[in-house]
Amino acid sequence: GCHMPLGVYCEERNENFNVWIAQADEKGSILKRMFKQTENVEGLAENLFTLLKKENTKMVFFSSKPLGNDHYLQVLNNAGCKVQSQSFVDIKRIKIDSEIQFLNYDWLFFSSKNGVLHFFEQITHLPEGIKIAAIGNETAKLIHAYGYKVDFIGEGENAFIADSFLTLAEGLSVLFPGALNRQPNLREIISKYCKTYTLNTYENHPYSAAKIDADVLVFTSALNVEGFLLENTISSQQTVIAMGLSTKAYLLERGYSKVLIPPQKSHLSIAELICGL
């Protein structure tokens, strides 16, 4: 009803239950959002409502540049969290040859917002007929902001993304604009069934920054983990969240076994996960 707007969605996946919940105190008030994963649903409703009423006083750190007054910040601030943001990666644009022939490619595939930014800030026109793929809704949203339609959005593990994408693009040519030192995993899978090419639009390197003290550490890339660990350590009391499987894999390589990952690759999905801790 309008006096307590409430939405709940629950799915069973891999023998676990994923639950999303959104609730407002009354019509027009700020929406509370939360994600919870559990092995069973016994007592789950009561637990969720207890969490919704409880103030979350955690200090949360994002290893990325502040995005401004975005929705994920509103969700975290409304829950009572304090948020810090700082990138540990130095990014430099690589000039794109203006003579590049996009007519040779059927698809452009973007895996990050930085890839989108440093591409479309240099290339202002694409030929008709070329299609665009993106990993994650945030990457897709930025492509939309430049005025282009996104024909495919991938979420989840690289193998799943590749399988879904190949139903549309098998046998075609795919260009991957992005970082000079990008992770090749996804392209390697797709290259078995497509002609794939890379276009370096920026280079990124980790750098040392100030010490960070937070209850929750959110890492948006493996390079940000590397830069963070130059001056910081991760304690067993801190909750570690990775945005994406490659970032989680790097944290596991560095010896950090307790790493959470959001159901979607977005800041908002991470905020919902933190509110459900």
Side-chain angles (χ1 to χ4, degrees):
C2 294
H3 294 291
M4 194 189 75
L6 173 69
V8 181
Y9 178 76
C10 179
E11 67 174 11
E12 187 176 4
R13 181 182 295 182
N14 299 328
E15 300 183 354
N16 285 318
F17 293 94
N18 292 338
V19 187
W20 289 263
I21 184 167
Q23 182 257 330
D25 293 330
E26 58 184 14
K27 184 178 179 179
S29 64
I30 298 174
L31 196 67
K32 298 178 182 178
R33 302 175 66 116
M34 184 181 299
F35 169 78
K36 192 77 175 176
Q37 187 176 78
T38 180
E39 294 180 354
N40 61 73
V41 294
E42 184 178 352
L44 181 59
E46 293 81 358
N47 183 28
L48 286 172
F49 276 104
T50 299
L51 285 172
L52 281 170
K53 294 177 181 179
K54 184 179 179 181
E55 186 178 17
N56 190 331
T57 58
K58 293 180 174 64
M59 177 67 74
V60 181
F61 173 76
F62 281 83
S63 69
S64 59
K65 292 182 179 179
L67 300 183
N69 189 27
D70 211 339
H71 193 183
Y72 83 100
L73 286 175
Q74 295 176 21
V75 170
L76 289 171
N77 291 333
N78 186 48
C81 296
K82 297 186 182 298
V83 182
Q84 307 174 61
S85 297
Q86 180 180 340
S87 174
F88 292 92
V89 177
D90 180 44
I91 296 176
K92 295 181 180 178
R93 180 172 296 170
I94 296 175
K95 185 177 180 180
I96 298 175
D97 184 355
S98 60
E99 299 299 319
I100 186 168
Q101 297 297 312
F102 292 109
L103 289 174
N104 295 333
Y105 310 107
D106 301 299
W107 283 84
L108 295 177
F109 201 126
F110 294 95
S111 59
S112 70
K113 292 172 66 176
N114 278 318
V116 174
L117 173 68
H118 293 287
F119 179 86
F120 284 110
E121 287 298 309
Q122 300 185 71
I123 302 298
T124 57
H125 176 72
L126 294 177
E128 291 186 11
I130 194 167
K131 294 185 176 182
I132 301 178
I135 295 182
N137 286 315
E138 291 191 354
T139 303
K141 184 179 178 181
L142 185 57
I143 295 170
H144 287 143
Y146 281 100
Y148 289 97
K149 173 188 174 184
V150 179
D151 301 277
F152 171 84
I153 301 175
E155 293 278 7
E157 298 182 5
N158 284 334
F160 177 78
I161 294 173
D163 285 345
S164 301
F165 177 67
L166 288 169
T167 62
L168 303 174
E170 185 172 355
L172 302 179
S173 58
V174 186
L175 179 67
F176 288 82
L180 177 64
N181 54 349
R182 77 198 78 187
Q183 296 287 333
N185 302 1
L186 180 62
R187 185 203 159 194
E188 284 182 350
I189 299 172
I190 293 174
S191 66
K192 297 176 182 178
Y193 307 96
C194 296
K195 296 177 181 179
T196 61
Y197 308 86
T198 59
L199 175 66
N200 298 323
T201 60
Y202 68 99
E203 56 181 326
N204 48 7
H205 303 281
Y207 70 90
S208 174
K211 289 187 177 295
I212 301 297
D213 183 20
D215 303 302
V216 181
L217 301 172
V218 179
F219 294 107
T220 55
S221 70
L223 279 178
N224 267 298
V225 177
E226 187 176 342
F228 177 88
L229 293 175
L230 291 175
E231 291 291 338
N232 295 273
T233 58
I234 300 175
S235 73
S236 58
Q237 286 75 40
Q238 290 174 306
T239 300
V240 180
I241 299 174
M243 180 188 281
L245 294 169
S246 60
T247 305
K248 179 178 180 178
Y250 183 75
L251 282 158
L252 295 176
E253 288 177 12
R254 296 295 299 261
Y256 300 102
S257 58
K258 295 181 180 180
V259 181
L260 302 177
I261 192 165
Q264 285 88 36
K265 191 177 180 180
S266 72
H267 284 71
L268 180 58
S269 187
I270 289 172
E272 293 172 339
L273 174 61
I274 291 170
C275 290
L277 294 176

